């Protein structure tokens, strides 16, 4: 359970930082009340999606099928995040820059149109939140701790909002790539473990194999990023 | 809707990488070297992540 809660909290923190940048840019144009309204509507939509997703997966009936489906989605998500984090660490891809993102949003001509700005805030929070939703539902259903996972995601939102309130600007100093790298390795470890177990494989160290897989992903990911960096230099 | 589908399944390259790795591990599970599946899948996924990083 702790692994699932930590993974959800870290994933949510990264995504909420990106969502906060969008909300901040919009709030400076149409005011905090409307921007917060758009953000809350998006959070409401995500809460409904979480309920529907959890019920849908719980009604699959067959636990092995459920484990395979959840594991496969986590593998899809984890390999994507790890690939992106390796590319950014190696210098193959630019690091995500919240300050630049914020400046680009503020330069949009339509950001002062109240309806367009509301839609930008709603879509931004919804799209960033979809990855959080996926992790909450997948890890929550499989570990039977959906509420704890959803709580971790909400706690991350509160932390990001509180930090944003104190900083009064985009949260550009969050080590986003390091968090994405760690979360990618963790999610991939969970996914690998559950997919193979669902296919009938018996892991030698039981659930401790998740830690071994996590260590392998971190070591391997760092080695691949270093190899790319050396080749680029 | 497009964002929703992309979040769930990623792009074609992402989906194929994961599917090939899982499919390969499932094949190994049905051979006498079934125990190697626990190595094939993580190594395959790491190679997949390295491939995705370049593309």
């Amino acid at each position: 359970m702790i692994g699932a809660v930590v993974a959800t909290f870290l994933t949510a923190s990264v995504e909420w930082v990106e969502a906060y940048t969008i909300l901040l840019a919009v709030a400076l144009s149409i005011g905090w009340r409307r921007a917060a309204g758009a953000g809350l509507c998006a959070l409401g939509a995500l809460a409904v999606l979480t309920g529907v997703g959890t019920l849908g997966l719980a009604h699959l009936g067959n636990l092995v099928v459920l484990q395979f489906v959840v594991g496969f989605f986590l593998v899809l998500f984890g390999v994507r995040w790890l690939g992106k984090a390796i590319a950014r660490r190696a210098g193959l891809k630019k690091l995500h820059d919240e300050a630049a993102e914020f400046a680009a949003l503020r330069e949009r001509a339509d950001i002062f149109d109240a309806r367009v700005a509301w839609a930008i805030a709603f879509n931004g929070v919804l799209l960033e939140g979809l990855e959080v939703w996926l992790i909450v539902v997948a890890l929550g259903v499989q570990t039977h701790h959906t509420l704890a996972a959803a709580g971790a995601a909400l706690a991350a939102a509160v932390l990001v909002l509180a930090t944003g309130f104190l900083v009064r600007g985009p949260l550009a100093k969050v080590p986003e790539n390091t968090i994405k790298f760690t979360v990618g390795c963790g999610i991939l470890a969970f996914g690998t473990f559950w997919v193979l177990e669902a296919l009938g494989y018996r892991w030698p160290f039981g659930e401790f194999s998740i830690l071994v897989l996590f260590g392998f992903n971190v070591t391997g990911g760092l080695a691949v990023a270093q190899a790319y960096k050396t080749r680029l230099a | 809707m497009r964002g929703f589908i992309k979040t769930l399944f990623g792009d074609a390259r992402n989906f194929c990488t994961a599917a090939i790795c899982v499919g390969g591990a499932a094949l190994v599970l049905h051979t006498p070297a079934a125990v190697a599946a626990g190595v094939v899948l993580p190594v395959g996924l790491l190679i997949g992540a390295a491939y995705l990083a370049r593309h």
Side-chain angles (χ1 to χ4, degrees), chain B residues 4-36:
Chain B
F4 182 72
I5 288 170
K6 205 174 170 194
T7 300
L8 272 184
F9 301 103
D11 57 14
R13 202 173 263 146
N14 181 198
F15 188 83
C16 289
T17 303
I20 289 169
C21 292
V22 172
L27 278 179
V28 173
L29 267 177
H30 291 91
T31 67
V35 74

Side-chain angles (χ1 to χ4, degrees), chain A residues 28-92:
Chain A
L28 291 178
S29 303
I30 61 170
W32 268 109
R33 241 181 85 191
R34 282 187 194 162
L40 283 175
C41 284
L43 283 181
L46 287 169
V48 171
L49 271 177
T50 304
V52 171
T54 305
L55 284 176
L57 282 175
H59 277 83
L60 271 179
N62 189 329
L63 287 178
V64 176
V65 175
L66 170 70
Q67 191 176 25
F68 182 81
V69 170
V70 166
F72 189 70
F73 277 122
L74 290 178
V75 163
L76 269 174
F77 185 82
V79 81
R80 183 165 71 222
W81 268 37
L82 184 57
K84 273 186 196 170
I86 288 173
R88 288 191 171 127
R89 197 176 177 85
L92 295 167

Side-chain angles (χ1 to χ4, degrees), chain A residues 11 15 77 80-81 127-135, chain B residues 7:
Chain A
T11 308
E15 297 303 328
F77 185 82
R80 183 165 71 222
W81 268 37
L127 280 179
E128 300 299 345
L130 277 176
E131 292 191 331
V132 180
W133 164 77
L134 179 65
I135 296 300
Chain B
T7 300

Side-chain angles (χ1 to χ4, degrees), chain A residues 87-172:
Chain A
R88 288 191 171 127
R89 197 176 177 85
L92 295 167
K93 205 174 173 183
K94 266 188 178 174
L95 286 171
H96 194 87
D97 184 348
E98 288 305 319
E101 230 13 76
F102 178 74
L105 271 169
R106 293 293 299 152
E107 278 171 15
R108 277 183 66 156
D110 52 1
I111 195 112
F112 292 100
D113 181 324
R115 285 173 65 181
V116 175
W118 194 93
I120 291 173
F122 177 80
N123 287 333
V125 176
L126 189 63
L127 280 179
E128 300 299 345
L130 277 176
E131 292 191 331
V132 180
W133 164 77
L134 179 65
I135 296 300
V136 167
V137 171
L139 290 180
V141 165
Q142 189 56 30
T143 60
H144 309 293
H145 288 295
T146 307
L147 277 180
L154 277 179
V158 171
L159 178 73
V160 167
L161 277 177
T163 313
F165 183 75
L166 289 173
V167 172
R168 293 181 183 273
L171 303 176

